[in-house]
Amino acid sequence: ATETADEEEEQDELYDLKIIFSVKELSKSKPRLCSGEGCKLAACCVWASNLSPDEPWYYCVDCQEQDFGGWPEAMDELPLKFMTEEHKSIIIRKCSAQEDPVMPDLP
């Protein structure tokens, strides 16, 4: 069977980290929860797919590690250029069940 020009090529679905929630956002009494199935942790970030860029996926540190292998390694793939110790500690406290989760390597 030959493909017609009308048929769209199937694209690979790629996800990008779009937002890392601020200390203020994470400090709310009711922070946004992780979209992970059955997960009760606060989300620390938002990922989006190239196939549905307007549909945000909210992730905690643990579910992000499970689905994407953790934080992006390349600095230019992170939406922040630096992260304070306060910011790191609130993400660890609210968005992970691990004692010492891997955090982005930001100054």
Side-chain angles (χ1 to χ4, degrees):
T2 57
E3 287 186 35
T4 64
D6 296 343
E7 286 184 48
E8 284 186 41
E9 277 186 54
E10 269 194 50
Q11 276 189 298
D12 287 338
E13 190 162 27
L14 304 170
Y15 285 86
D16 285 320
L17 177 58
K18 296 294 185 189
I19 298 167
I20 297 176
F21 288 132
S22 67
V23 171
K24 185 178 177 186
E25 188 74 28
L26 292 165
S27 300
K28 288 182 176 176
S29 59
K30 291 195 174 191
R32 165 96 45 197
L33 293 180
C34 177
S35 308
E37 198 172 314
C39 186
K40 302 271 187 256
L41 292 169
C44 62
C45 54
V46 179
W47 289 74
S49 157
N50 61 327
L51 301 183
S52 53
D54 297 331
E55 187 181 325
W57 291 87
Y58 299 96
Y59 273 87
C60 69
V61 172
D62 301 354
C63 291
Q64 170 178 276
E65 208 168 271
Q66 187 180 313
D67 288 4
F68 302 118
W71 300 93
E73 287 182 28
M75 287 290 287
D76 62 354
E77 291 180 27
L78 289 166
L80 297 176
K81 296 297 169 233
F82 67 94
M83 189 180 279
T84 64
E85 283 306 313
E86 179 190 18
H87 199 174
K88 285 180 186 173
S89 71
I90 196 167
I91 288 174
I92 291 168
R93 204 168 58 246
K94 292 200 164 201
C95 310
S96 179
Q98 302 174 61
E99 200 172 302
D100 188 20
V102 175
M103 291 297 291
D105 191 16
L106 289 167

